Amino acid sequence: MADQPVMLITGASSGIGAETARAAAKQGYRLVLAARSEDKLKGLQQELGGEAQVLTVQCDVQRGDDQKNMVDQALKTFGRIDAVFANAGRGGEPGGFSEADPDVWKDMILTNIYGVGLTLQHCLPALRKSKGHLLLTGSAAGRVTIPGSMYSATKWAVSAIGYGVREELRGSGIRVTLIEPGMVDTPFFDEPPAHALKPEDIANAVMYAVAQPAHVDVNEILVRPTPLVE
């Protein structure tokens, strides 16, 4: 038990986070699963081995106190953190720059950028001790120009955070991987997209990165759905 690695996942209650939890459990990881609603994590906890294998934590990534408690509880329960998947994020911004609701922008920016920064800040001391692995959910939208998209702007920022923290950590033994999905069929969308990746496709990318030997640092994985055959 004590020698099983520990992976912490934010935004773990559904979609990419939940599927990554399932994939990591199959590979022998103990899990720290964090989301705004801890209740949504309980079913996943029971599915993946119960309290002995899975810690659930209520965490709003915009709140530093929540993030500190998340890490404190992880270390109290398992004594270590070997991988952190900063996955929490949100979208939803009809109207473009001309007409979008600025309150939606504010919540999105605080979740997608500030929340990621807080996750890094609170988790890095434990990752320094374990010489662990930091993964961030960016997006294909953080590599292209999308008209009127503040969401895309936040994911450009996540890309910049990934590049910047990698340089900050150079020589520490911590690996940093940006996971950059294209369209994924998750609860992120009100209507399921017609042509999209599945959450487990992205979970597979995460597990590929963490499975590499210590001297291999997979910097980025850009994953898009295969174009439709015409």
Side-chain angles (χ1 to χ4, degrees):
M1 290 285 293
D3 61 352
Q4 283 182 279
V6 176
M7 180 182 291
L8 182 153
I9 303 172
T10 64
S13 60
S14 64
I16 292 169
E19 287 302 326
T20 301
R22 292 185 175 100
K26 289 178 182 176
Q27 296 300 319
Y29 279 86
R30 293 174 291 173
L31 298 166
V32 180
L33 304 182
R36 287 186 180 185
S37 174
E38 189 179 0
D39 290 343
K40 294 181 179 179
L41 299 171
K42 291 301 183 182
L44 201 54
Q45 181 185 52
Q46 293 308 307
E47 175 189 340
L48 301 179
E51 293 181 2
Q53 292 293 107
V54 181
L55 170 68
T56 64
V57 185
Q58 189 280 327
C59 180
D60 179 343
V61 294
Q62 297 182 22
R63 297 178 56 85
D65 289 347
D66 281 8
Q67 298 239 30
K68 180 180 184 302
N69 177 66
M70 173 184 70
V71 174
D72 288 348
Q73 291 298 315
L75 295 176
K76 180 180 178 181
T77 302
F78 295 134
R80 59 195 282 185
I81 301 173
D82 299 280
V84 171
F85 186 22
N87 170 67
R90 64 151 299 178
E93 50 164 343
F97 290 113
S98 301
E99 299 178 359
D101 181 344
D103 288 332
V104 172
W105 275 353
K106 183 176 180 180
D107 187 62
M108 183 166 55
I109 290 166
L110 289 173
T111 299
N112 295 5
I113 304 175
Y114 180 63
V116 169
L118 288 178
T119 299
L120 269 57
Q121 191 166 79
H122 287 283
C123 290
L124 282 178
L127 286 178
R128 287 184 185 276
K129 289 181 180 178
S130 66
K131 292 183 171 57
H133 200 141
L134 173 64
L135 305 103
L136 303 89
T137 297
S139 174
R143 297 174 61 122
V144 298
T145 300
I146 298 178
S149 177
M150 184 66 81
Y151 171 77
S152 177
T154 69
K155 291 302 185 177
W156 276 77
V158 173
S159 296
I161 290 169
Y163 297 159
V165 74
R166 184 181 297 115
E167 292 306 311
E168 179 180 347
L169 297 173
R170 186 174 294 278
S172 69
I174 300 173
R175 299 183 290 178
V176 179
T177 303
L178 271 164
I179 304 291
E180 299 166 320
M183 189 77 72
V184 182
D185 184 3
T186 73
F188 188 88
F189 297 100
D190 294 330
E191 295 293 332
H195 180 53
L197 298 162
K198 299 176 182 179
E200 50 265 39
D201 299 326
I202 310 308
N204 289 339
V206 172
M207 299 314 299
Y208 167 79
V210 299
Q212 300 310 300
H215 70 283
V216 176
D217 187 0
V218 179
N219 286 188
E220 296 183 67
I221 302 180
L222 173 62
V223 187
R224 289 189 172 109
T226 303
L228 290 170
V229 176
E230 295 181 359

